[in-house]
Amino acid sequence: MRLTALDSHAETVGLKRGQGLAEARAIHPALVMVEEDEAADKRFLEALADWCDRYTPLVALEGRDGLFLNITGCAHLFGGEEAMLREILLRLEQMGLEVKGAISSAPGLSSAVARFDASRIIGEDEHERILAPLPLAALRIDDATVQGLAKLGLKQVGDLLEAPRAPLARRFGTQLLLRLDQALGLDDEAISPRRPVAHLSAERRLAEPVQAEDDILELTSQVAQSLKPGLEARGAGGRVFELVLFRVDGKVFRLKAGASRPLRDAARIAKLFAERLKGVHDDLDAGFGFELLRLNVLRHEVFDHAQKDFEGEDERHLSLADFVDQVSARFGPECLTAYQLRESHIPERAILSVPALSHIFKPVPIPEAAPLVENALIGKERPLRLFRHPEPLEAYAVDVPDGPPIRFRWRRLTHKVCHAEGPERIAAEWWLEGEDAPTRDYFRLECETGQRFWVYRQGLYDQIANPSWYMHGIFA
């Protein structure tokens, strides 16, 4: 067992990372050890990243214990870079964390200074001077490379700056020089944010935290109103919204709500989150209150400016849209489903169940020159209830090979057939199931009890000696 992390007091008594636990106890017998929990550490780091979203939406994880924040265009909102850095470090220290940070034009340089130097802001002409006295580990290279360079007498970054580059590349590879150039700002380094950046965003910082649900909804309506000009400029309306609530103790809550139609109206957006708050119940713990509220537009579409008709058709659609939106916001987008037609002759593949929130009001574009492909469900009688997976049954047929059954047993009940229609032959889709896939013969059967069933024989008698029968749906 070895030490993986140390606090400031442990470092002052001479302990080091990677040191064996027995050796550490020999140096400091009163050592207090806590077993490492990598999953918990990652969750904690992700929670800190969520908290940092208040400063910039571009937050990325850096290693196991660091964060990258791209603050381009954000620093002036907090009084400049120096004030911004001071506020971040002060608030994290008030949470009981010992942190360091640095601001520069190169992510590699900021990482090196934050880990191996004091917190500061580095100017464009100070890169080499600040980086030179730092150890080679500051370049984020592996331990084997650091040890190999140390054997050559290269222990600081300044030693690399004075050494010829070609021999270093031949012996240690191009990764070493890439990391050096990234730290110097000579080579760009992309930062991949952990969350997608919202198309539009508006927020409200509060002088006094709020706890009541009514206050949250009122603020949501106000913030939604400030999003309207941005949506109008794009000629769009929001389809997926995200409400982000920052609690005073650093906890961040994210609530998503979707709309069946593009929205701009602040009242309707606030109504979505009213239902969403009812759905989360006690999972939203306000604690001592929320100090920052942000509303993001995660997805938007072209806004429909169609004029209302005189028959009130638009009002009926609007009422249905409100119902779908509110129910989906409270119980989840999967609670209401719609059916989407697909180009397939196999009944269970001819329709696809999708959330009503994303499909029920979505027009299906059809190219003018493209011929219309008839779907398997159009113009043909199909059962009201279609089983997702056909159920096997025992059937007795007299008129073979193409006749319907006269009696069958399904779910331990025997049914006698009075009337039958069919067969309706549906060939298998050989491009999916293979050339040997059996053909289906469907029959509409009416029994003595008045029930109507939709059954099929899988396979033809000239192909299979004993074809199987299946129940696929019920008409009534």
Side-chain angles (χ1 to χ4, degrees):
M1 299 183 67
R2 297 185 175 276
L3 303 181
T4 59
L6 303 170
D7 59 12
S8 57
H9 178 68
E11 292 177 348
T12 58
V13 299
L15 301 182
K16 300 178 181 179
R17 292 187 181 185
Q19 194 173 32
L21 180 60
E23 181 183 356
R25 289 192 183 279
I27 296 175
H28 190 70
L31 176 66
V32 178
M33 184 270 297
V34 178
E35 188 173 353
E36 182 183 31
D37 188 343
E38 294 184 4
D41 291 342
K42 184 177 181 180
R43 289 195 300 269
F44 180 70
L45 187 62
E46 290 176 345
L48 287 181
D50 286 338
W51 180 84
C52 288
D53 279 350
R54 67 183 63 213
Y55 298 104
T56 173
L58 302 176
V59 181
L61 303 181
E62 202 273 317
R64 298 175 56 186
D65 56 356
L67 295 174
F68 273 142
L69 278 67
N70 188 340
I71 61 172
T72 303
C74 301
H76 70 281
L77 301 175
F78 302 90
E81 294 180 349
E82 184 176 352
M84 184 179 186
L85 179 61
R86 183 169 58 251
E87 178 184 339
I88 294 175
L89 298 181
L90 178 60
R91 298 195 62 172
L92 290 175
E93 289 174 359
Q94 291 174 347
M95 296 180 189
L97 303 176
E98 185 177 349
V99 295
K100 291 192 297 183
I103 296 179
S104 73
S105 60
L109 179 59
S110 297
S111 175
V113 173
R115 294 180 182 277
F116 295 92
D117 202 348
S119 300
R120 64 173 70 185
I121 298 177
I122 302 102
E124 290 291 337
D125 56 346
E126 298 180 313
H127 288 196
E128 290 192 12
R129 183 180 64 82
I130 297 297
L131 197 60
L134 301 182
L136 293 177
L139 296 179
R140 298 173 296 167
I141 55 180
D142 58 88
D143 294 338
T145 303
V146 172
Q147 295 174 4
L149 291 170
K151 293 179 181 179
L152 299 177
L154 305 176
K155 299 182 180 180
Q156 296 180 337
V157 179
D159 299 333
L160 286 182
L161 296 176
E162 299 174 356
R165 298 172 67 93
L168 292 176
R170 285 196 300 268
R171 183 162 183 175
F172 299 100
T174 58
Q175 183 68 16
L176 172 62
L177 299 181
L178 175 62
R179 288 301 192 186
L180 178 60
D181 290 341
Q182 288 176 344
L184 292 172
L186 302 177
D187 200 327
D188 293 334
E189 180 178 359
I191 295 179
S192 300
R194 54 190 296 269
R195 293 185 180 276
V197 180
H199 298 283
L200 279 174
S201 180
E203 65 181 36
R204 180 67 58 85
R205 296 180 180 272
L206 307 174
E208 293 291 336
V210 297
Q211 296 176 311
E213 182 176 314
D214 293 340
D215 295 336
I216 295 174
L217 293 176
E218 177 63 26
L219 290 170
T220 302
S221 179
Q222 296 176 12
V223 175
Q225 187 66 33
S226 64
L227 284 175
K228 189 174 181 179
L231 291 171
E232 290 177 345
R234 290 169 168 80
R239 285 292 303 273
V240 180
F241 300 89
E242 181 185 45
L243 180 63
V244 188
L245 302 172
F246 295 84
R247 207 166 63 182
V248 293
D249 62 350
K251 179 70 174 178
V252 181
F253 294 89
R254 298 179 182 272
L255 303 176
K256 288 184 179 181
S260 55
R261 283 182 168 186
L263 293 184
R264 290 179 184 170
D265 184 56
R268 293 190 63 192
I269 297 174
K271 189 182 296 185
L272 289 180
F273 287 101
E275 298 296 333
R276 191 72 188 93
L277 290 175
K278 294 177 182 177
V280 298
H281 298 294
D282 297 332
D283 293 339
L284 183 66
D285 183 10
F288 291 102
F290 301 105
E291 61 179 349
L292 175 62
L293 181 146
R294 179 182 297 159
L295 185 62
N296 297 326
V297 180
L298 300 183
R299 191 177 120 206
H300 61 73
E301 293 181 1
V302 177
F303 192 79
D304 185 11
H305 293 278
Q307 182 178 352
K308 298 181 180 179
D309 56 25
F310 294 102
E311 297 180 356
E313 185 70 20
D314 189 76
E315 282 76 4
R316 291 195 292 270
H317 284 178
L318 187 62
S319 177
L320 178 59
D322 282 336
F323 171 76
V324 172
D325 294 347
Q326 293 177 26
V327 173
S328 299
R330 179 179 293 193
F331 301 107
E334 303 296 333
C335 66
L336 295 177
T337 58
Y339 294 102
Q340 180 179 1
L341 296 179
R342 304 176 66 189
E343 295 181 0
S344 175
H345 298 289
I346 306 301
E348 62 266 25
R349 297 176 187 163
I351 58 174
L352 179 65
S353 177
V354 297
L357 191 67
S358 60
H359 177 72
I360 191 170
F361 298 106
K362 186 175 182 180
V364 180
I366 301 178
E368 296 181 359
L372 294 177
V373 179
E374 182 181 359
N375 186 275
L377 298 185
I378 298 178
K380 298 178 181 178
E381 186 178 0
R382 289 292 183 259
L384 180 65
R385 180 185 177 190
L386 187 70
F387 296 151
R388 180 175 299 179
H389 303 287
E391 300 181 5
L393 55 84
E394 300 175 7
Y396 176 71
V398 176
D399 188 10
V400 293
D402 297 328
I406 61 174
R407 185 172 61 251
F408 65 90
R409 180 177 176 83
W410 175 58
R411 292 184 178 179
R412 295 185 291 184
L413 292 178
T414 301
H415 300 269
K416 186 176 180 181
V417 178
C418 296
H419 303 283
E421 295 179 359
E424 177 189 344
R425 182 158 296 178
I426 299 179
E429 296 177 342
W430 56 266
W431 56 92
L432 295 177
E433 304 176 7
E435 297 181 357
D436 298 332
T439 301
R440 297 181 183 182
D441 277 351
Y442 278 86
F443 296 90
R444 293 186 290 273
L445 307 179
E446 183 177 347
C447 300
E448 291 180 332
T449 57
Q451 294 174 294
R452 299 179 65 207
F453 302 98
W454 202 41
V455 304
Y456 70 88
R457 181 182 64 242
Q458 183 165 297
L460 305 178
Y461 279 97
D462 58 354
Q463 297 175 349
I464 305 174
N466 295 313
S468 302
W469 290 83
Y470 292 89
M471 175 70 66
H472 204 167
I474 300 177
F475 287 95

